[in-house]
Amino acid sequence: MSGSAPITQDVMTLPRKLPDGPINLVGLTRDAMRDALIAHGTPEKQAKMRVGQIWQWIYQWGVRDFDAMTNLAKGYRAQLAEKFVIEVPEVVTRAVSEDGTRKYLVRIAGGHEVEVVYIPEEGRGTLCVSSQVGCTLTCSFCHTGTQKLVRNLTAGEIIGQVMVARDDLGEWPEIGAPKDETRLLSNIVLMGMGEPLYNFENVRDAMKIAMDPEGIQLSRRRITLSTSGVVPEIHRTAAEIGCQLAVSFHATTDEVRNKLVPINKRWNIEALLEALKAYPKVSNSERITFEYVMLKDVNDSDEDAHRLVKLIEGIPAKINLIPFNEWPGSPYERSSNNRIRAFANIIYQAGYASPIRTPRGEDIMAACGQLKSATERARKSRKQIEADAGLGG
C-alpha cells in the first residue's frame, strides 16, 4: 500500500451548513424536533404531544404533506407548512436485477448521489444503506473504496433511504386497515457506501428512528452495522445503538489485512478482537458476524481457515464467506467454488456457522463491494488500482 493512501479519516470534518429556508423534519431526534417546533411558535406545553403526532404521521404512515395530518388543527398545519418540510432523497434511477434485487441511485443535498440496495429473500427483505458519499478506507478489493470520500450523510439522508425503499415497495400501512405483520423491508444492514463508525452520531440517530416503537418499528436485532474496525467506536455502538455487529475481517494476518483493509495499520487484528470480545455482553446481541471475502491465492488457504478459527476463539461468532464480486479494473479474482467449500468446511468443523453468501444483483453492479455512483466515480486504470493496493510488479 502506498504511503500516501489514507488509512483513517484524520481530517477535521466541519458540520455541513444546512440550507436556509424550511427545516426538514426527517432525521431529527424527538428532542430536536421538539426544540425546532418550540423555536417556530409551538407552545412549550403542547410541544411533546405535537412531536408524538407528527412523528407518527411521518414514520408510521409515511405522510409527507402537513395537510394530511388530520388530527392537527388547520391553522397549525398551515403554520408547520410555512416553517418545515418532510423530504427524503430523490430517486434518480432504479434498477431491478433478474433475482429481484433492487438498486436505487438517490440524490441528496449538494447534488451528490449514493446507492441503496434492497435484497428480497425467503421470509425477509434486507435494505443495504449507505452512510457516506464515497469512503475513506481504500480497501483494495472494494469498488466503493476507489471513490474518494465526499461527505458524511445526515441522519435524515440515512433514514430517508429506508423511507424511499418503503415508498417503492408500497409498504406504508393504510390508516384504518387491519395491521399486517409481514414486512417486505424487515432488516437493515449498514453495509452500503462508507464506514458507518466514521459517521457515528448520524448513523445512531437514524437507527434510533428506525427502531422507534411509534414509527418504522424495527427491532435492534434486525439492524446490522458493518465496520472495518474503528475500534474506539465499537463500544459506543454497543452502548448507544445496541444493534447487531458485522466486521469486515477478510484476513488472518496483519500483513495481509494491512493491504486489504488499511485501517488495520491503525487498529490491528489483536486490538480489534479485544473490542469485539466485549461487544455481545454490552449490546446483548447473540454473536458477531465476521465478513470474509474470498480472494484467490490471497486469503483462502486451509492455513488461513485454521488461523481464523483460532483468532475468534471465545467470541460468539458466525463467519459469512463472500465470494469476491469482480468489478472493472479489480486487482483480485474470486476463489474457486471448491476452495470456498473447503475453507467453509474447516470453519464448520470447528463449530461455527459458515454460510457462503450467494452473490445478489451482480448483473446491476449491486453486489457487496460493487457500489459506486457514476457521478462520483474517479476513473482509475487497472495499473493505478494495483499500485494503490500494493500489488504492482
Side-chain angles (χ1 to χ4, degrees):
M1 182 64 61
S2 62
S4 61
I7 296 166
T8 55
Q9 191 175 353
D10 281 340
V11 292
M12 186 171 76
T13 51
L14 298 171
R16 197 168 62 82
K17 185 181 179 295
L18 292 172
D20 296 328
I23 296 164
N24 189 9
L25 292 180
V26 175
L28 296 185
T29 62
R30 282 177 177 268
D31 286 347
M33 192 185 288
R34 180 181 174 276
D35 292 346
L37 292 179
I38 291 167
H40 290 85
T42 301
E44 204 162 325
K45 281 184 178 163
Q46 295 178 15
K48 191 179 175 190
M49 178 184 73
R50 296 297 182 219
V51 168
Q53 291 170 315
I54 295 165
W55 191 275
Q56 278 190 300
W57 284 111
I58 297 174
Y59 297 117
Q60 192 168 330
W61 308 114
V63 166
R64 309 277 154 81
D65 180 359
F66 293 109
D67 258 354
M69 298 182 181
T70 47
N71 59 351
L72 301 176
K74 256 193 170 166
Y76 185 59
R77 281 182 259 166
Q79 189 186 326
L80 289 173
E82 261 178 52
K83 309 287 185 187
F84 301 102
V85 288
I86 303 162
E87 282 179 357
V88 298
E90 172 202 351
V91 178
V92 180
T93 60
R94 171 185 176 276
V96 182
S97 165
E98 288 172 7
D99 64 21
T101 299
R102 303 182 186 200
K103 180 168 84 166
Y104 311 98
L105 182 68
V106 301
R107 186 171 292 138
I108 56 173
H112 302 300
E113 291 167 358
V114 293
E115 292 184 330
V116 192
V117 177
Y118 172 74
I119 305 157
E121 292 168 282
E122 191 65 46
R124 64 191 261 165
T126 301
L127 190 72
C128 183
V129 168
S130 293
S131 56
Q132 296 180 311
V133 185
C135 191
T136 53
L137 291 180
T138 66
C139 297
S140 56
F141 59 87
C142 179
H143 199 209
T144 316
T146 63
Q147 174 181 324
K148 290 183 177 69
L149 178 76
V150 179
R151 72 166 171 84
N152 285 337
L153 268 59
T154 64
E157 289 162 347
I158 296 168
I159 196 64
Q161 295 170 59
V162 179
M163 296 167 75
V164 159
R166 292 197 90 191
D167 289 351
D168 188 49
L169 294 164
E171 200 176 23
W172 295 104
E174 219 174 293
I175 298 171
K179 198 172 179 196
D180 183 0
E181 292 296 345
T182 57
R183 286 285 185 103
L184 294 172
L185 197 169
S186 62
N187 294 63
I188 293 173
V189 293
L190 287 143
M191 293 182 187
M193 296 164 67
E195 164 55 70
L197 295 190
Y198 276 150
N199 188 14
F200 181 83
E201 281 85 4
N202 287 319
V203 165
R204 177 199 60 207
D205 291 351
M207 292 307 103
K208 290 279 192 198
I209 292 170
M211 295 186 274
D212 191 291
E214 289 180 8
I216 296 167
Q217 302 174 0
L218 284 183
S219 127
R220 61 185 180 77
R221 291 189 183 277
R222 291 192 169 270
I223 296 171
T224 302
L225 183 148
S226 176
T227 178
S228 293
V230 185
V231 166
E233 304 291 4
I234 288 174
H235 184 78
R236 279 187 83 191
T237 305
E240 297 179 39
I241 307 175
C243 59
Q244 306 298 309
L245 191 71
V247 180
S248 298
F249 206 64
H250 308 312
T252 60
T253 66
D254 283 325
E255 185 192 358
V256 176
R257 198 165 191 267
N258 285 347
K259 273 190 179 174
L260 296 181
V261 189
I263 195 176
N264 196 70
K265 295 174 187 175
R266 168 65 62 85
W267 296 290
N268 67 8
I269 289 174
E270 189 185 352
L272 175 57
L273 291 172
E274 274 308 303
L276 296 179
K277 277 176 186 154
Y279 192 89
K281 292 187 201 82
V282 180
S283 68
N284 202 20
S285 55
E286 297 132 348
R287 57 187 178 178
I288 307 273
T289 299
F290 285 80
E291 306 277 355
Y292 198 96
V293 68
M294 299 298 294
L295 302 170
K296 185 181 174 183
D297 299 331
V298 175
N299 64 356
D300 63 352
S301 68
D302 284 359
E303 291 74 25
D304 278 307
H306 288 298
R307 259 197 307 267
L308 180 57
V309 165
K310 204 162 174 44
L311 283 170
I312 64 175
E313 215 173 294
I315 301 175
K318 120 174 167 187
I319 291 87
N320 255 354
L321 298 178
I322 306 166
F324 174 58
N325 298 307
E326 298 189 19
W327 40 271
S330 148
Y332 298 107
E333 289 175 56
R334 178 183 291 186
S335 304
S336 72
N337 288 343
N338 286 346
R339 182 86 300 271
I340 297 173
R341 276 196 292 269
F343 194 100
N345 195 45
I346 291 168
I347 292 163
Y348 178 73
Q349 295 298 335
Y352 294 97
S354 55
I356 298 166
R357 185 182 292 168
T358 310
R360 300 290 302 267
E362 284 186 290
D363 53 322
I364 55 169
M365 286 286 282
C368 273
Q370 289 184 329
L371 300 190
K372 180 166 174 175
S373 62
T375 50
E376 308 288 353
R377 195 175 311 234
R379 303 248 176 227
K380 286 191 179 185
S381 69
R382 179 185 286 268
K383 276 206 168 112
Q384 278 176 292
I385 294 165
E386 285 183 354
D388 287 354
L391 299 170

